[in-house]
Amino acid sequence: MDIVSKEKRSEMMSKIRGKNTKPELVVRSLLHSMGYRFRLHRKDLPGTPDIVLPKYKTVIFVNGCFWHGHKGCPIYKPPKSNVQYWEEKIAKNKERDRINTLLLQKLGWKVLEIWECELTDLYTLLSKLRHQL
Ligand SMILES: [Zn+2]
């Protein structure tokens, strides 16, 4: 299953991680290193997906755990002040995400979500992408 050595892999990962810190850029580098071709921010699709892989009829959203209310997130902790304000804001984002996912699925797209916290373990993320694409 493992095609690259441990050393090579951590070298790859540190390159990817070092070059870009923005979650979306990290995912793009990762996909690129896996040989996938993709387009970015297709405005003609619901929710303007961050990454679009036309060949796989798949779109990817890279979600910030806080803004998109990642349930069971190992990193993000719910805010302790202005609780109602944030809860409403995040609930609105989640509802919009849900609707966009439904619309995309209706159009025949497969929708993948990648959470910001998943970028702390790129190897697991890489396997997830391999499995789901
Ligand atoms: Zn998370």
Side-chain angles (χ1 to χ4, degrees), residues 13-106:
M13 295 302 175
S14 65
K15 258 191 200 149
I16 292 168
R17 233 163 146 47
K19 203 159 48 181
N20 301 302
T21 44
K22 241 185 115 199
E24 191 192 316
L25 297 181
V26 176
V27 176
R28 271 151 60 175
S29 300
L30 195 62
L31 286 167
H32 192 75
S33 75
M34 290 163 81
Y36 289 108
R37 290 174 176 275
F38 49 85
R39 304 169 117 244
L40 304 172
H41 306 286
R42 285 250 320 247
K43 292 205 175 67
D44 57 322
L45 292 174
T48 317
D50 297 317
I51 298 167
V52 181
L53 296 107
K55 194 177 160 189
Y56 299 87
K57 207 64 169 110
T58 297
V59 302
I60 299 176
F61 288 96
V62 183
N63 289 340
C65 296
F66 177 79
W67 290 105
H68 297 265
H70 187 199
K71 216 178 163 192
C73 181
I75 290 172
Y76 148 74
K77 299 274 176 292
K80 289 209 169 72
S81 56
N82 290 328
V83 175
Q84 201 192 346
Y85 170 79
W86 289 115
E87 270 177 0
E88 277 171 15
K89 213 168 173 65
I90 292 165
K92 237 182 240 170
N93 286 343
K94 286 178 79 163
E95 178 62 9
R96 198 172 47 216
D97 290 345
R98 198 182 64 82
I99 291 167
N100 285 331
T101 299
L102 286 174
L103 290 171
L104 284 159
Q105 285 169 343
K106 263 198 182 146

Side-chain angles (χ1 to χ4, degrees), residues 5 100 133:
S5 71
N100 285 331
L133 284 173

